[in-house]
Amino acid sequence: GDSVIQMQGQVTLSENDFLFINCTYSTTGYPTLFWYVQYSGEGPQLLLQVTTANNKGSSRGFEATYDKGTTSFHLQKTSVQEIDSAVYYCAMRSGGNYKPTFGKGTSLVVHP
Amino acid sequence: EAAVTQSPRSKVAVTGGKVTLSCHQTNNHDYMYWYRQDTGHGLRLIHYSYVADSTEKGDIPDGYKASRPSQENFSLILELASLSQTAVYFCASSDRDDTEVFFGKGTRLTVV
């Protein structure tokens, strides 16, 4: 079945550091890839969608890149801020599969 | 704007008691989901539905039932609550199988 692997459970950075979170996926279908962000006390919300047409997506200073060859998609931000502290989930939807597949989440803590 | 409303937002239940978590969406979405969130496990799918009056088992359905009486409403039922079911529960909805998932704000359930 479909699967998404997100290895980094927690990342701790200082403000203005570079952020990189990687996910790999497995599916027999045609994937649509997403990154969600969850702030404390809230539900997850869409951060960005990676379009496999141009292999990229971007939002709020975050950028995601998709690599079909390695079936991976990663999230990056050049300079994180304290307000970026949150849990980040990679996710995949595969055509014909009603169930979205989420990674286990990466808790980002940014110190001022 | 898409909206998924969960009630209650928090609940304390007694072991062995019955618990019903409710979810209402105004998105006109066909797909609805119930997730459980625990530290270290991310989001795990309990039940889902792609049409009213029909529900499907997700990845961790044991100990839970679901009900979808209408397109807008989706309930999660714990017939005999157990300590291990203490968690945060999220309801979500989506349109097609390749689109964004919209989450509610979550219900914090504590079983004592």
Side-chain angles (χ1 to χ4, degrees):
Chain A
D2 293 350
S3 67
V4 173
I5 298 175
Q6 185 175 358
M7 293 298 294
Q8 298 148 286
Q10 180 158 333
V11 173
T12 302
L13 298 172
S14 298
E15 278 194 330
N16 301 313
D17 281 352
F18 175 73
L19 171 69
F20 180 92
I21 304 173
N22 191 45
C23 269
T24 58
Y25 69 90
S26 174
T27 180
T28 56
Y30 295 96
T32 305
L33 307 170
F34 305 85
W35 282 96
Y36 286 80
V37 59
Q38 182 181 19
Y39 300 104
S40 181
E42 299 182 9
Q45 60 183 270
L46 181 67
L47 177 60
L48 54 83
Q49 177 174 338
V50 182
T51 60
T52 54
N54 62 9
N55 300 338
K56 287 186 182 293
S58 63
S59 174
R60 307 185 222 174
F62 290 86
E63 184 175 86
T65 304
Y66 156 72
D67 186 331
K68 185 178 180 180
T70 59
T71 62
S72 66
F73 58 116
H74 64 258
L75 180 72
Q76 65 183 54
K77 187 175 185 183
T78 304
S79 177
V80 294
Q81 304 301 308
E82 190 176 5
I83 59 170
D84 295 325
S85 296
V87 179
Y88 293 82
Y89 289 97
C90 53
M92 174 181 70
R93 303 204 68 175
S94 183
N97 187 347
Y98 299 120
K99 302 188 297 179
T101 304
F102 285 85
K104 290 191 174 183
T106 298
S107 177
L108 172 65
V109 177
V110 180
H111 294 296
Chain B
E1 184 175 316
V4 178
T5 305
Q6 294 183 231
S7 62
R9 291 294 315 280
S10 67
K11 183 173 182 63
V12 178
V14 176
T15 302
K18 182 177 180 178
V19 176
T20 300
L21 307 183
S22 300
C23 179
H24 179 80
Q25 56 107 350
T26 58
N27 306 327
N28 199 33
H29 288 166
D30 286 330
Y31 300 45
M32 295 189 74
Y33 313 88
W34 275 106
Y35 288 92
R36 168 177 174 156
Q37 186 176 53
D38 302 273
T39 303
H41 290 280
L43 296 163
R44 293 185 289 175
L45 183 65
I46 306 171
H47 285 288
Y48 65 101
S49 168
Y50 52 85
V51 68
D53 293 322
S54 178
T55 63
E56 305 292 333
K57 294 181 179 180
D59 300 320
I60 55 163
D62 292 346
Y64 303 94
K65 292 183 179 179
S67 174
R68 181 95 182 269
S70 64
Q71 186 193 42
E72 299 79 17
N73 296 294
F74 192 36
S75 299
L76 185 68
I77 304 149
L78 290 66
E79 295 278 3
L80 294 170
S82 67
L83 295 173
S84 64
Q85 294 177 311
T86 292
V88 179
Y89 293 85
F90 288 98
C91 177
S93 75
S94 73
D95 188 1
R96 303 185 314 272
D97 60 7
D98 62 346
T99 56
E100 174 186 359
V101 177
F102 293 88
F103 285 85
K105 292 183 179 295
T107 296
R108 182 173 296 278
L109 175 65
T110 303
V111 182
V112 298

